[in-house]
Amino acid sequence: MEGAIGLLVLTVLAVPVLLIIALVSISGLKRRVADLETQVGRLQHQATAQPVRAPEARPHEPTLGEWMQQTTPGASPGPMPAAQPAPPPVRSPATPAVAPALRAAESASSTQVPPPPRHKPAKPARPDFVTTAIRAVQRWFTVGNVPVKIGMLVLFAGVAALLKYGADQGWFTLPPELRLAGIAAAALGALVFAWRKRQSNRVFALSLQGGAIGVLLLVVFAAFKIFGLIPAGAAFALSIVLVAGAGVLAVVQDAKALAVFALLAGFLAPIWLSTGSGNHVALFSYYAVLNAAIVGIAWYKSWRLLNLLGFAFTFGIGIVWGVLDYSPAKYAGTQPFLALFFAFYLLIPLLFARRQPAGRRDFIDGCLIFGMPLVAFSLQAGLMEGRRMPLAFCALGLGVLYAALAWWLRRRKDYEVLTQSYALLAVGFATLAVPLALSAQATASVFALEGAALAWLGLRQQRSLPQFAGLGLQLAAAAAYAIGLQSTSALPTYDDTMFANAVFMGALLIALAGFASAWAYRQRAGNDEQRNHISLLYYGWGLAWWVGNGIREIGIYLGGDSAPPILLIFAALTGWLAAEVHRRRPAGALAWTSLAALATAVPLALLQSATHGQPFAGYGVVAWPIYAALGLRSLLCLRAGEHRLAGAAQFTWWLVWPLVASLLLGWLPERIGGMGDGWKTGLAALPWLLVAALALFRWRWLSMPLGERFDGWRERLLSTVFVLLGLWWIASLFEAGAATPLPWLPVLNPIELAQLAALALALRWQLGDARTLSPRRIVLLSALAFVWITSVVLHAVHHWGGVPWSDTLLSTSLAQTSLTVTWSVLGVLGWVIGSKRGQRMLWLAGAVLMGVVLAKLVFVDRQHLGNLLGIGSFIAYGLLCTAVGYFAPAPPRTPVEEGEASGEPA
């Protein structure tokens, strides 16, 4: 009865399996029929689309019998037999459909109908999820050892049903020891059977081996955890033996899947066999054995998945344990295991690379090479709990270790990628050791230098990663320096030595690192615009730190009145260094730096004068000669570099020194004392008048050291100087211009002599080489001369008439009468000279001026008719007009008017 029931169960289970197989077979046949129909349709389309040309007539080739007849002696050639028709083609199943198409194509070949354009076949649509799942199930039932798969499913179902039935019937009332022993014996038997079949049926044998070892592990688990038949130590030992056996079987049979199963079982065994004792030493000792097995397997097999699983389980479980259960008291029992696991997974990537073919050893296990040291060092930092110096030595030790590995591998062939990876890790850990052991300023210094070195290395190796790392380190250096400055203890005090303190040296090294990186990119730039731009950015970064560091240091130690001259020396030094480098390696940024350094003297001279009254006070007496020497050397370097900014630098040079001399000469009258303000104003213009005169008459003196290359800047220099002189000239008109201790004389006083010299030099500049003036310039210079004469008259009224120099000066009758008489004299001179010389424009100018004077008499001077000065102005104007009527009653004639008077055509 039981056998009938078992047979019935097997039949019921086999029916759906056989149905699935039948459905799969039918679907396969349907797919093949559909493929055949698609191919037939494609052939029909090609036959109708492309014209078929009739085959060309070939010459008759004799058969073997005909050839023998022709070569037999005495045989007559006879007529050539007619060609026999070809036998009908053998028809295939597709022939009835294809033959009409072929005949139609032959009949249409004479018309040479062009073939229709071919359309690109549409891209087949991707199957959906359901279709993919169905195909996966179909492949499982049709690919591989299908009978074994189906048999195992049926067997499992049968065994499950049998066990359930036996349990219901009370068959399994045996003691648990016997039950477990029976299951273990069956599993061992299956394992032995699978081992014997490993050659003839590999897939079947490996599947059976994995299942048998899994059953044995479950037996051990049940004996310990459920029934309590064996102690924890014995269960643990048996699990180790089973896992080790599975690993050996995997290596011997080259079965990676079996090895993965053994590894997973091995790492999970302490979890399901845990008693809750919390013995981390036993746990890590067991994991050490497992990882040693992984190392042994890695010696023979390059199974990367196995290595990654070991790393993930080892360090993952270690991190979880550390978060939940670690305490400082367990440090001594934890540190050796962390070092051991680090050593294991330091060795595994080397073994993995060694197992690769000679041409593929650049295929490295990046997850272990870079991920393992980062995770291990993070765990180490957690173990040390903030002890900076020991952790710094740990990071330094790792850097030395990786540097030694890189040094060892660099001489071995095909290990370039692994060597570079270890070198990068060495640099990284050495970098990490710096902030752990040193102050913020020292950290910034080391980071900056290391960043420059990495940028250079990346350029040399044509690799982007070291270049980005170098940039990042220099930015990190700046951040570390800024963090250090926020601490009050980091700020330098006056007890420190200027320039010889940690703050200054840290910023100096950051600047030098930027300059070094700029130099490296500049050396290897060539025609690469991107590298030129990167070089410029690095130079700007370094220059900003250089200038900012110098200004800050001078401001702290020499703040106040002593800072401007020292800043001048610093600027001159900066410009000179840039010019020296520019002479050897010309670059626009260096030339701009030199130009800016020379121009910096202008605000510094003004600041020094505002502080001390003149630029040479205090340290200025030393600073300006140094500036002169370094500036001249900078001009010579720029001349050697032949940069277009050399002219701009010399142009700036000849603007700085007149300014400095003007500030000094303007200070002298105040220093001597007892001298009028006219001396100060007049002496202040003297250097600019000298530069203008030299530019007009002795240009070669100013063109040195550039020489002829500076000739193009002559007009620019003259224009700038005369603009400045013009501003001074206008401003000096409103000065009283006292000449004490000398008596004031019209024109023969410092301020008016300087004004007259400015007008004379301006006239010479406008005349140029042609020695002529345009009408517009004549009017402009005449207006300036008129204004100057008016100023002389007013100054004479002030100094000789005793009228105060204020806004009320023009309202006095003396000033108005003096202006009336002077302007009338000028108008009469214009009338008379223009008439005598035939200069109509001059005569008209005199007439206009006399008209202005007349209007002035009517509207302004009439209020002064109550005193002698007002009456005198009217009388003077009348007498002068009478004289004009005698000497020049009419304007000079034009050539047309003279011709008409003589009766001749003009």
Side-chain angles (χ1 to χ4, degrees):
M1 184 66 182
E2 289 82 358
I5 293 174
L7 182 60
L8 180 61
V9 170
L10 290 176
T11 303
V12 171
L13 292 175
V15 168
V17 173
L18 295 175
L19 288 175
I20 292 174
I21 294 174
L23 290 174
V24 169
S25 301
I26 292 172
S27 64
L29 291 174
K30 288 182 178 180
R31 185 175 65 255
R32 294 180 61 186
V33 171
D35 293 341
L36 291 173
E37 291 177 350
T38 302
Q39 293 178 4
V40 170
R42 187 181 300 112
L43 290 173
Q44 292 176 353
H45 176 72
Q46 291 178 356
T48 57
Q50 296 181 0
V52 180
R53 296 184 179 181
E56 298 178 359
R58 297 182 179 178
H60 174 71
E61 296 181 0
T63 63
L64 179 62
E66 293 173 349
W67 180 80
M68 292 179 63
Q69 281 185 355
Q70 293 175 4
T71 55
T72 302
S76 59
M80 182 71 67
Q84 298 295 327
V90 179
R91 295 181 179 270
S92 62
T95 303
V98 176
L102 293 176
R103 287 193 297 269
E106 290 176 0
S107 61
S109 62
S110 59
T111 61
Q112 298 294 327
V113 178
R118 296 184 180 180
H119 297 284
K120 186 177 180 180
K123 186 177 181 180
R126 298 182 62 181
D128 55 5
F129 176 77
V130 177
T131 305
T132 304
I134 293 175
R135 290 181 180 178
V137 174
Q138 177 182 340
R139 284 196 302 270
W140 195 87
F141 279 103
T142 56
V143 178
N145 198 334
V146 178
V148 172
K149 298 178 182 179
I150 297 175
M152 291 299 294
L153 288 178
V154 174
L155 180 61
F156 279 147
V159 171
L162 180 62
L163 290 176
K164 183 179 185 302
Y165 178 80
D168 294 338
Q169 297 296 324
W171 293 353
F172 304 110
T173 58
L174 297 175
E177 295 89 344
L178 295 179
R179 283 182 277 170
L180 294 177
I183 296 173
L188 287 174
L191 184 62
V192 172
F193 178 75
W195 173 257
R196 294 172 64 89
K197 294 296 182 180
R198 69 186 186 278
Q199 299 293 341
S200 60
N201 199 339
R202 174 179 172 83
V203 177
F204 169 80
L206 292 177
S207 302
L208 190 57
Q209 288 175 24
I213 294 175
V215 171
L216 290 173
L217 287 171
L218 291 176
V219 168
V220 173
F221 170 75
F224 167 71
K225 201 76 173 180
I226 298 176
F227 300 106
L229 299 177
I230 57 177
F236 204 64
L238 288 175
S239 298
I240 293 176
V241 171
L242 290 174
V243 170
V248 171
L249 290 175
V251 174
V252 171
Q253 300 175 94
D254 195 16
K256 182 168 66 173
L258 187 59
V260 171
F261 167 75
L263 182 67
L264 293 175
F267 276 105
L268 294 176
I271 298 176
W272 71 55
L273 298 178
S274 174
T275 60
S277 62
N279 189 351
H280 69 284
V281 176
L283 175 66
F284 292 145
S285 299
Y286 172 70
Y287 280 175
V289 174
L290 282 182
N291 283 289
I294 294 175
V295 173
I297 294 175
W299 185 272
Y300 297 100
K301 303 293 182 181
S302 57
W303 290 342
R304 183 169 180 265
L305 178 60
L306 199 69
N307 302 333
L308 293 177
L309 286 176
F311 167 70
F313 272 100
T314 301
F315 286 92
I317 295 176
I319 291 173
V320 173
W321 174 84
V323 171
L324 298 178
D325 197 41
Y326 175 75
S327 63
K330 299 178 181 180
Y331 173 78
T334 307
Q335 181 66 70
F337 288 107
L338 179 59
L340 181 62
F341 295 149
F342 175 82
F344 281 154
Y345 287 96
L346 179 67
L347 180 62
I348 285 175
L350 292 172
L351 297 177
F352 180 79
R354 185 182 68 88
R355 295 293 304 174
Q356 298 300 319
R360 293 198 60 197
R361 286 177 180 168
D362 57 345
F363 180 68
I364 63 174
D365 195 345
C367 294
L368 292 183
I369 289 176
F370 293 102
M372 186 274 297
L374 297 178
V375 174
F377 189 79
S378 300
L379 292 175
Q380 185 66 48
L383 293 180
M384 292 186 172
E385 291 187 339
R387 290 178 288 173
R388 292 170 57 92
M389 191 56 67
L391 194 59
F393 280 112
C394 179
L396 184 61
L398 289 176
V400 172
L401 173 63
Y402 280 111
L405 286 175
W407 179 268
W408 174 61
L409 289 173
R410 74 183 186 90
R411 297 184 179 181
R412 295 179 174 268
K413 188 178 180 181
D414 299 329
Y415 287 96
E416 291 83 2
V417 177
L418 194 59
T419 302
Q420 294 171 3
S421 301
Y422 284 151
L424 185 60
L425 285 171
V427 172
F429 279 109
T431 303
L432 185 60
V434 173
L436 294 173
L438 302 179
S439 64
Q441 284 74 30
T443 300
S445 304
V446 175
F447 278 8
L449 295 179
E450 190 175 356
L454 278 177
W456 171 81
L457 182 63
L459 284 172
R460 183 178 179 85
Q461 295 179 349
Q462 301 293 323
R463 297 175 61 222
S464 299
L465 181 60
Q467 298 180 45
F468 286 115
L471 175 61
L473 278 175
Q474 295 192 47
L475 295 177
Y481 184 86
I483 293 173
L485 287 183
Q486 294 178 359
S487 174
T488 55
S489 60
L491 294 175
T493 63
Y494 290 100
D495 297 332
D496 299 329
T497 304
M498 184 177 180
F499 302 129
N501 56 78
V503 177
F504 176 79
M505 295 306 297
L508 178 62
L509 289 176
I510 294 176
L512 293 178
F515 289 146
S517 301
W519 178 268
Y521 274 93
R522 176 69 177 173
Q523 287 291 98
R524 291 169 174 80
N527 295 326
D528 192 345
E529 290 297 328
Q530 182 179 4
R531 287 188 176 178
N532 283 325
H533 293 159
I534 295 175
S535 173
L536 185 60
L537 291 176
Y538 267 120
Y539 178 76
W541 169 264
L543 185 63
W545 278 92
W546 169 271
V547 174
N549 190 34
I551 294 175
R552 182 180 181 277
E553 194 76 2
I554 293 171
I556 290 177
Y557 288 92
L558 298 174
D561 299 342
S562 302
I566 305 303
L567 289 174
L568 178 66
I569 296 175
F570 176 69
L573 178 65
T574 302
W576 167 64
L577 292 174
E580 289 289 350
V581 178
H582 174 78
R583 184 172 64 90
R584 292 169 175 80
R585 183 71 176 176
L590 296 171
W592 276 109
T593 303
S594 297
L595 174 60
L598 292 175
T600 305
V602 173
L604 291 177
L606 296 174
L607 181 61
Q608 180 76 345
S609 297
T611 305
H612 297 284
Q614 54 99 4
F616 290 90
Y619 293 109
V621 70
V622 179
W624 284 104
I626 294 176
Y627 171 83
L630 295 179
L632 185 60
R633 176 59 186 171
S634 299
L635 291 176
L636 292 173
C637 293
L638 292 176
R639 180 188 66 179
E642 297 184 355
H643 197 274
R644 59 183 178 84
L645 289 179
Q650 188 162 334
F651 171 81
T652 305
W653 177 260
W654 286 123
L655 294 180
V656 168
W657 286 110
L659 174 65
V660 174
S662 177
L663 294 174
L664 176 62
L665 293 177
W667 168 81
L668 281 178
E670 297 180 359
R671 177 63 178 176
I672 296 174
M675 301 183 70
D677 59 348
W679 291 100
K680 178 180 179 180
T681 306
L683 291 175
L686 185 60
W688 299 100
L689 294 172
L690 179 60
V691 171
L694 291 176
L696 289 171
F697 304 107
R698 292 293 184 270
W699 172 248
R700 293 304 169 194
W701 294 7
L702 297 182
S703 64
M704 301 304 294
L706 289 184
E708 295 181 355
R709 291 173 52 193
F710 193 56
D711 290 348
W713 289 84
R714 183 179 184 180
E715 287 300 320
R716 303 178 194 178
L717 181 62
L718 283 169
S719 300
T720 305
V721 170
F722 276 110
V723 166
L724 296 174
L725 282 174
L727 296 175
W728 167 87
W729 194 86
I730 295 172
S732 64
L733 295 176
F734 300 94
E735 296 287 339
T740 53
L742 299 177
W744 186 90
L745 295 175
V747 181
L748 301 178
N749 59 81
I751 191 171
E752 291 177 352
L753 284 174
Q755 292 172 348
L756 183 60
L759 288 176
L761 291 173
L763 176 61
R764 176 63 183 85
W765 176 45
Q766 292 300 317
L767 285 174
D769 297 333
R771 304 291 180 178
T772 58
L773 289 174
S774 63
R776 182 180 300 176
R777 293 180 178 179
I778 291 174
V779 172
L780 177 61
L781 290 175
S782 300
L784 292 176
F786 174 75
V787 171
W788 179 72
I789 293 172
T790 301
S791 173
V792 171
V793 172
L794 293 177
H795 280 84
V797 169
H798 165 66
H799 290 286
W800 286 352
V803 180
W805 185 262
S806 63
D807 296 339
T808 60
L809 177 65
L810 289 175
S811 62
T812 61
S813 59
L814 179 60
Q816 292 299 327
T817 301
S818 301
L819 290 178
T820 299
V821 173
T822 304
W823 290 357
S824 300
V825 171
L826 292 176
V828 169
L829 291 176
W831 258 347
V832 174
I833 296 174
S835 178
K836 297 297 183 182
R837 295 187 177 181
Q839 296 179 356
R840 189 178 182 88
M841 291 299 298
L842 181 58
W843 189 94
L844 290 176
V848 171
L849 184 55
M850 291 301 291
V852 171
V853 174
L854 179 59
K856 178 178 176 296
L857 287 174
V858 173
F859 295 105
V860 179
D861 292 351
R862 64 183 181 86
Q863 60 183 341
H864 301 293
L865 287 176
N867 55 52
L868 294 176
L869 292 176
I871 296 171
S873 62
F874 276 83
I875 293 174
Y877 182 82
L879 292 175
L880 290 173
C881 285
T882 302
V884 168
Y886 176 77
F887 291 104
R893 297 180 179 180
T894 62
V896 176
E897 295 173 343
E898 292 179 355
E900 292 176 353
S902 59
E904 298 176 359

